Amino acid sequence: MKRVFLSVALIFVFNGCATWKGIKKDSNDAWEATKDGSSKVYNKTKETIHKATE
């Protein structure tokens, strides 16, 4: 019984580690995409405001 419990516990621990690494990578990718998109939007808005106020 102890072996079964230990096996299940280890499966959850290792599964959690793999999931945590995946979450970190996914959140990093999402942050990079957000920064890139925000930068593009900022530059286009700045350009449009400049054209409108000429």
Side-chain angles (χ1 to χ4, degrees), residues 23-41:
I23 289 171
K24 285 175 59 176
K25 184 184 179 316
D26 290 346
S27 64
N28 187 33
D29 292 346
W31 178 245
E32 291 297 325
T34 300
K35 286 193 310 187
D36 185 42
S38 296
S39 178
K40 288 178 183 178
V41 169

Side-chain angles (χ1 to χ4, degrees), residues 4-51:
V4 172
F5 179 72
L6 182 60
S7 297
V8 171
L10 287 174
I11 289 170
F12 281 115
V13 168
F14 286 120
N15 192 16
C17 291
T19 302
W20 178 247
K21 287 180 183 177
I23 289 171
K24 285 175 59 176
K25 184 184 179 316
D26 290 346
S27 64
N28 187 33
D29 292 346
W31 178 245
E32 291 297 325
T34 300
K35 286 193 310 187
D36 185 42
S38 296
S39 178
K40 288 178 183 178
V41 169
Y42 173 78
N43 289 333
K44 290 292 184 180
T45 303
K46 186 175 173 182
E47 182 181 318
T48 303
I49 290 171
H50 180 70
K51 286 181 181 179

